[in-house]
Amino acid sequence: MKQCTVELAGYLNNKTEYKTCSLFQITLKDNSVIYCTDFDKDVIFENHVFKSDLFVVKREQTTISGTPEVDTTNITIFADKQHNDLVKNVFVLEAIHKGLLDTAYLTLWRAFFDVDIDTTLDTQIRPYGAIKLFIGRMELTSCNMLSAKFSAKAETTGLHMLLPLRTFQAQTSFAEENGNVVEYSEDKTTCVIPMKPSSNVLYRTS
C-alpha cells in the first residue's frame, strides 16, 4: 500500500480523468542527484526540477513479493542525440560503463495533473500531487550501445527469505559487569542450534 496526502486522495477520488507521469530521482554514490521525468515538460516537485530533456528513462511495473513486502522494479535508460545524455559531463552509457551509476539509489514518484492543463505555455509545470512508488538500490543487468537496463530492489530485499534452522559458527563467551564487558574468551567449538527443528528460538550450548 502506498501513502498519499489527504488532498491528493480527495483529488483522485473526485476526478475521472487526469494526466500522469513518472518522476525519477537517481542518487549517486557521491550523493549527487539526477532528477528527470518522462513528461514532455520539466516538472517542479518538492523544490526540485525534474528535467524532461535528459536521457530517456522507461520503467516497468513495480512488483511486490514476500512478507515483509519487498518492492522491485526495472528501468531502462536510452541514449538519444536529441536529449542531454550526460552524467557528470560524461556520455551516460560511458558513465555507466565506468561505474558512475554503481550502487545508485532510485526514488520513483507518480505525479498527477489536471487533464486540461496547458503544457504549451509553460516550460515548467507543477503537479497537483505525487505518490512515492518505490525507493531502492540500482543494479546494472545489461548494457549495449543504445541503452542500459537496471534492476532496482528495496532495502528490505532478503528479509522474506527463509533462514536455516541449524547454524554453526564460532562464538565468543564473555562476562559482563555494570553494563561493561570485563572478561571474554573465544571458543571455536560452540554450536548454536534450535531447541526444536521447527522452532525459531535458538538454544546455545558449549
Side-chain angles (χ1 to χ4, degrees):
M1 181 179 295
K2 307 302 179 183
Q3 297 182 347
C4 69
T5 63
V6 176
E7 293 79 8
L8 180 57
Y11 172 83
L12 297 177
N13 286 331
N14 296 324
K15 291 286 186 178
T16 57
E17 294 182 348
Y18 44 79
K19 290 183 178 180
T20 182
C21 74
S22 297
L23 305 178
F24 303 91
Q25 175 184 320
I26 301 175
T27 306
L28 306 182
K29 54 187 174 184
D30 63 354
N31 291 326
S32 59
V33 183
I34 301 170
Y35 299 97
C36 56
T37 179
D38 58 3
F39 206 56
D40 56 358
K41 296 289 183 180
D42 293 351
V43 177
I44 301 176
F45 177 67
E46 291 191 344
N47 297 322
H48 300 294
V49 179
F50 291 79
K51 304 293 292 184
S52 59
D53 62 347
L54 292 177
F55 40 78
V56 178
V57 183
K58 179 181 179 182
R59 72 175 181 90
E60 299 179 9
Q61 183 177 1
T62 302
T63 59
I64 300 176
S65 62
T67 302
E69 293 181 350
V70 178
D71 292 1
T72 60
T73 190
N74 294 315
I75 67 168
T76 304
I77 295 177
F78 295 92
D80 187 341
K81 293 181 179 180
Q82 297 179 353
H83 289 74
N84 183 17
D85 296 332
L86 298 177
V87 174
K88 293 185 174 294
N89 296 320
V90 180
F91 181 60
V92 58
L93 296 183
E94 181 182 353
I96 292 172
H97 280 291
K98 290 183 176 181
L100 295 183
L101 272 71
D102 289 354
T103 67
Y105 274 88
L106 170 69
T107 304
L108 172 65
W109 286 274
R110 175 174 290 176
F112 299 89
F113 310 86
D114 288 331
V115 69
D116 56 352
I117 187 173
D118 188 356
T119 60
T120 61
L121 299 178
D122 299 326
T123 58
Q124 297 179 343
I125 58 176
R126 297 179 182 271
Y128 188 88
I131 297 176
K132 182 181 291 186
L133 298 180
F134 176 85
I135 181 171
R137 187 186 297 270
M138 297 169 54
E139 296 179 1
L140 180 66
T141 57
S142 63
C143 185
N144 54 43
M145 298 300 295
L146 299 176
S147 65
K149 186 173 183 178
F150 290 87
S151 172
K153 298 180 181 180
E155 286 297 295
T156 51
T157 183
L159 294 181
H160 67 300
M161 299 174 63
L162 296 177
L163 297 176
L165 289 177
R166 294 182 175 88
T167 61
F168 177 83
Q169 60 185 26
Q171 298 292 306
T172 301
S173 59
F174 62 91
E176 183 179 4
E177 182 177 336
N178 297 326
N180 299 317
V181 176
V182 295
E183 183 181 359
Y184 75 94
S185 63
E186 293 185 355
D187 181 1
K188 297 183 179 180
T189 60
T190 300
C191 183
V192 179
I193 61 173
M195 297 173 62
K196 297 180 181 180
S198 60
S199 174
N200 292 325
V201 180
L202 297 181
Y203 179 72
R204 176 176 174 177
T205 61
S206 57

